[in-house]
Amino acid sequence: MIRSIFPVAAAALVAFAVPAQAAEVKKFTASDFTAAQNAGKAIVVDVKAPWCPVCASQHKTIQSAIAADKYNKLTIFEVDYDTQKDVWRGLGVHKQGTLIAYKGKKEVSRLEFQTDKTQINDLLAAAVN
């Protein structure tokens, strides 16, 4: 009896452990980014590297925050620091762990190598408010 309940209980725990996302998160492409800017969308560009502990901390904060309904119109474009050098250089980025918020084509906030939750939440809010 206990063995038959365990898989169901484990699945329920996993479902509750992963917060739902209101925001759309996608890999950066120039065409999608330009289309989102031209449509006046709320955008955050996340320049990250898989080996970067600051990026991992930022990601955790972002994932927690974007579960809120107020981020349902936010698009987050992830830029791979190792493989998309032309993209981040074109955005004036100097290192991984950079977050840039836009309202359409206008940059409204930028953080570099920052893990402070309040500052990251303020950046996310700047894109949608």
Side-chain angles (χ1 to χ4, degrees):
M1 176 78 171
I2 292 176
R3 287 186 187 178
S4 65
I5 295 173
F6 181 73
V8 174
L13 286 174
V14 170
F16 288 111
V18 179
Q21 281 184 191
E24 178 182 15
V25 180
K26 58 198 305 184
K27 182 176 175 157
F28 183 98
T29 66
S31 59
D32 286 349
F33 179 66
T34 300
Q37 284 191 308
N38 288 340
K41 290 192 172 189
I43 301 166
V44 169
V45 175
D46 180 2
V47 181
K48 58 202 249 173
W51 44 264
C52 170
V54 169
C55 302
S57 177
Q58 290 175 335
H59 180 76
K60 189 175 174 182
T61 300
I62 291 167
Q63 288 301 306
S64 176
I66 65 173
D69 285 341
K70 73 179 182 176
Y71 294 113
N72 64 355
K73 294 188 180 180
L74 176 66
T75 301
I76 299 175
F77 289 101
E78 296 181 333
V79 176
D80 186 295
Y81 183 79
D82 295 328
T83 63
Q84 295 182 291
K85 289 183 179 10
D86 57 331
V87 172
W88 58 260
R89 286 180 179 148
L91 295 170
V93 171
H94 304 289
K95 59 181 149 186
Q96 77 282 358
T98 299
L99 303 170
I100 311 167
Y102 294 89
K103 285 185 176 183
K105 295 180 181 181
K106 182 180 180 188
E107 182 177 326
V108 294
S109 185
R110 182 180 289 235
L111 289 175
E112 293 184 346
F113 223 64
Q114 181 59 248
T115 59
D116 181 78
K117 290 177 182 179
T118 300
Q119 289 185 33
I120 293 169
N121 284 316
D122 288 349
L123 176 131
L124 294 170
V128 298
N129 292 335

